[in-house]
Amino acid sequence: MLDHLGIQVADPEASAAFYDAVLAALGHGRMLQYGPVIGYGTDHPRFWISPSETGGPARESHIAFLAPDRQTVNAFFRAAVTTGAEVLHEPKVWPEYHEHYYGAFVRDPDGNNVEAVSHAPV
């Protein structure tokens, strides 16, 4: 449904360090950069960060990145913790979503709920 998604960040350097680490763990990287605007992806940029240009407090967003397997979710989680991210939920199976839903949830530097999820059975 979505071609790409962009979010605004308060501290582009801190957010870039966070997303460089967690997206690398998921097999993605920086593809394009225009000054402080960065596009991440594998075949083309699908996730973008840019400096906040709107006034007022930010609202929490939930961003879930697909992982091919549980080991990759675990790698995402380790990378996030290494950057100092707040842990919301350690990697585990969430049967209330479905029997194979395996996810980990952390906060990015702007307070967004960022998740890696695998739907694979193992």
Side-chain angles (χ1 to χ4, degrees):
M1 182 165 73
L2 296 175
D3 180 69
H4 61 276
L5 169 71
I7 63 169
Q8 293 185 350
V9 299
D11 183 342
E13 288 183 28
S15 291
F18 173 81
Y19 285 107
D20 285 350
V22 301
L23 293 177
L26 297 172
H28 310 293
R30 289 187 189 201
M31 296 198 70
L32 289 175
Q33 184 166 355
Y34 304 101
V37 178
I38 302 169
Y40 294 91
T42 49
D43 56 344
H44 71 274
R46 294 187 181 272
F47 179 72
W48 292 83
I49 61 172
S50 62
S52 179
E53 296 177 356
T54 56
R59 294 184 194 170
E60 177 184 338
S61 294
H62 176 69
I63 305 162
F65 293 103
L66 183 61
D69 52 43
R70 293 178 182 191
Q71 294 82 5
T72 307
V73 171
N74 295 339
F76 159 91
F77 182 75
R78 287 189 303 272
V81 169
T82 299
T83 71
E86 175 188 351
V87 174
L88 297 175
H89 301 288
E90 293 191 14
K92 70 174 194 170
V93 175
W94 296 84
E96 59 268 38
Y97 301 140
H98 69 72
E99 67 178 319
H100 301 301
Y101 195 110
Y102 186 82
F105 301 76
V106 297
R107 287 215 188 279
D108 76 1
D110 288 283
N112 293 306
N113 177 343
V114 181
E115 172 187 3
V117 59
S118 172
H119 301 285
V122 187

